[in-house]
Amino acid sequence: MTDWPELDGFLATDPRDVGCEQALQILHVYVDMVLDLDPGLAARRYPGVAVHLAACGPCDDDFHGLLAAAGATS
Ligand SMILES: [Zn+2]
């Protein structure tokens, strides 16, 4: 622990994590890959996105929302 909470948060972040902005930019591609191929392949192709979705609640919600929407219309 330090007296700098932001630093603790930074150190706890997986270095592969692409962050919200990049994750959301590519999320539709990631969703397509999960739906058309398989989730394991998507996670290997875009490990930074997989790591981010596991770590970020709001982005994970968006991911599941897109999955549900895509599944409902296909
Ligand atoms: Zn995020």
Side-chain angles (χ1 to χ4, degrees):
M1 289 293 286
T2 68
D3 293 332
W4 193 14
E6 289 91 340
L7 181 60
D8 285 331
F10 176 75
L11 292 174
T13 301
D14 192 304
R16 293 171 300 172
D17 192 328
V18 296
C20 291
E21 195 171 327
Q22 284 192 57
L24 290 176
Q25 275 183 2
I26 205 169
L27 196 57
H28 62 287
V29 177
Y30 190 84
V31 167
D32 281 349
M33 190 169 286
V34 168
L35 290 171
D36 294 343
L37 299 167
D38 72 81
L41 181 64
R44 285 197 300 278
R45 181 72 67 87
Y46 300 109
V49 176
V51 165
H52 184 73
L53 293 177
C56 182
C59 287
D60 195 47
D61 285 347
D62 283 357
F63 171 59
H64 286 287
L66 281 173
L67 273 181
T73 57
S74 63

